[in-house]
Amino acid sequence: MGFWTLFEVASMPILQVLLISLLGAFLATDYCKLLPEDTRRSLNKIVFVVFTPSLMFASLAKTVTFQDIISWWFMPVNIGLTFLVGGILGWIVVKILKPKPYLEGLIIAMCSSGNLGNLLLIVVPAICNEDGSPFGDSNVCGAIGLSYASFSMALGGFYIWTITFQLIKASSLKMRAHEAAEEFASKQANKNLDATPETRLLKGESEEQVAIVVNVPQDTSPKPKGNASLGVKVAGFLHSILEELMAPPTLGAIFGFIFGTIVWLRNLIIGPGAPLRVIQDSVKLLGDATIPCITLILGANLIKGLRSSTIKPMVIVGVVCVRFIILPVVGICVVKAAGNLGFLPSDPLFHFVLMIQFTLPPAMNIGTMTQLFNVAQDECSVLFLWTYLACALALTSWSTVYMWILT
């Protein structure tokens, strides 16, 4: 497969994302007014509660079996490494560039959370179907590649809706605290403007003594000590994990794993003779709406983001460098080392998918989360715009390098 053929194959899904985003931006303009902020927020909730869980369930239940999970055991480790290394690099970017506190979680999420689902579902089968593909027969390659991509999407969704969800949630808490502090300071400033020098003297206050004091409510409940304190912390940690596991997308992935790996449950809904196949068909129909909706919302948020975003250009450069320069090099090292140690199956397509997981743009679900928590939506849209533009060239170039290495 030549470079320009590969360039065309790899750039198609990125161009699709950009075109649908432009449509979303047009629908959000004052001319159309079809995607105002309230509408986007409501649509996001539907994506979170209905569409994304359906996509997770439908993909996993159909394509992943128990034997696959056993033989592909290194993939969750590989994805975990992308989150770990990307998160560390994102933390370094934050410490060097010092953005506003409520943007720290977003930047780390952008560096660590790749688009492990829909892009792979498009790119991998497309490469398999090209003449001269290095991965063998197009039909076999396409079917196996779809399974790899579906497994990647489910695992990525699990990581995203636990780790990334917490990062964006923490950003929202910092933003609420920042807004509360500004509001308090504004009220105090207004009170000080209303006060006259005479009233200050009557109260026995000099100008040097007038200060703004923020009163933080103190927890007066008794604090547990020793082992009890440790037990409370462990219980709280387990409770937070349980809450994340109860998020609708994570539940969809869990049930998809269950139905995919248990044969009699799988036979109930999968296959032309399955008695309850209408359930799988209905769930798949709902899941197919996930990617278009997320992409439309992304484009709609971009209109406001370009006008009001305060994100520093160097932050954009930092995220792009992490995602498309440093992480791909780390991916080559990790996959080559795992292959030499015998941790990976011999299929070169599996190695290729593992490398691609280090080269993807940020997960679009980050946009859903910023909308859910109403935090940094403008900055998120701007980061998406530049990272997906850079991805068109980076993903193509690195795909060429990966196939050259593997063949």
Side-chain angles (χ1 to χ4, degrees), residues 53-269:
S54 299
L55 180 65
M56 296 289 184
F57 178 88
S59 298
L60 275 172
K62 184 176 181 180
T63 60
V64 178
T65 65
F66 182 74
Q67 290 78 13
D68 292 335
I69 293 175
I70 297 299
S71 60
W72 303 343
W73 68 270
F74 190 78
M75 188 178 288
V77 177
N78 192 72
I79 294 175
L81 289 173
T82 69
F83 275 77
L84 176 62
V85 177
I88 293 172
L89 294 172
W91 178 82
I92 294 173
V93 170
V94 164
K95 292 303 178 184
I96 293 174
L97 300 179
K98 301 185 183 303
K100 294 181 178 179
Y102 71 88
L103 292 177
E104 293 177 357
L106 173 66
I107 294 169
I108 295 174
M110 285 282 182
C111 291
S112 61
S113 311
N115 190 336
L116 294 159
N118 54 307
L119 276 183
L120 284 178
L121 287 172
I122 299 170
V123 170
V124 175
I127 290 177
C128 288
N129 291 330
E130 287 294 326
D131 294 334
S133 169
F135 302 120
D137 181 75
S138 60
N139 293 328
V140 176
C141 173
I144 296 176
L146 183 62
S147 296
Y148 291 159
S150 299
F151 194 43
S152 173
M153 180 179 64
L155 293 170
F158 181 81
Y159 279 97
I160 289 168
W161 288 104
T162 50
I163 297 173
T164 309
F165 188 83
Q166 281 296 324
L167 288 170
I168 303 300
K169 183 178 180 181
S171 287
S172 72
L173 294 176
K174 289 181 179 180
M175 188 172 185
R176 299 292 92 79
H178 176 71
E179 290 173 346
E182 284 189 339
E183 183 180 357
F184 182 86
S186 177
K187 289 179 179 179
Q188 291 297 108
N190 290 335
K191 288 180 181 180
N192 290 337
L193 287 173
D194 293 337
T196 64
E198 289 78 12
T199 58
R200 289 179 181 171
L201 289 172
L202 288 173
K203 293 179 181 179
E205 297 174 342
S206 65
E207 289 187 5
E208 289 79 6
Q209 291 173 319
V210 177
I212 295 173
V213 180
V214 179
N215 293 318
V216 179
Q218 298 295 323
D219 184 8
T220 57
S221 59
K223 302 293 189 298
K225 298 180 180 180
N227 293 333
S229 177
L230 178 60
V232 170
K233 291 180 180 179
V234 172
F237 176 72
L238 294 176
H239 178 71
S240 64
I241 291 179
L242 182 60
E243 282 186 341
E244 301 309 323
L245 291 177
M246 294 301 292
T250 310
L251 285 176
I254 292 172
F255 281 105
F257 274 122
I258 293 173
F259 274 79
T261 55
I262 299 177
V263 177
W264 68 270
L265 286 176
R266 182 187 180 91
N267 292 336
L268 281 177
I269 62 172

Side-chain angles (χ1 to χ4, degrees), residues 1 7 14 23 45 50 68 86 170 175 191 237 241-243 251 264 304 313 323 386 399:
M1 184 184 295
F7 182 89
I14 307 299
L23 175 60
K45 292 178 181 178
V50 179
D68 292 335
M175 188 172 185
K191 288 180 181 180
F237 176 72
I241 291 179
L242 182 60
E243 282 186 341
L251 285 176
W264 68 270
K304 182 181 177 184
R323 290 231 62 96
W386 291 108
S399 296

Side-chain angles (χ1 to χ4, degrees), residues 11-27 292 295-296 298-299 385 388-389:
S11 63
M12 282 300 109
I14 307 299
L15 292 176
Q16 290 174 7
V17 170
L18 293 176
L19 287 174
I20 298 174
S21 297
L22 288 175
L23 175 60
F26 176 71
L27 295 177
T295 313
L296 284 173
L298 169 66
L385 172 66
Y388 274 79
L389 285 174

Side-chain angles (χ1 to χ4, degrees), residues 93 97 107 111 309 311-324 379 382-387 390:
V93 170
L97 300 179
I107 294 169
C111 291
S309 173
I311 197 163
K312 298 176 182 177
M314 287 306 299
V315 170
I316 299 173
V317 173
V319 173
V320 169
C321 288
V322 168
R323 290 231 62 96
F324 302 125
E379 292 83 358
V382 172
L383 282 171
F384 271 133
L385 172 66
W386 291 108
T387 51

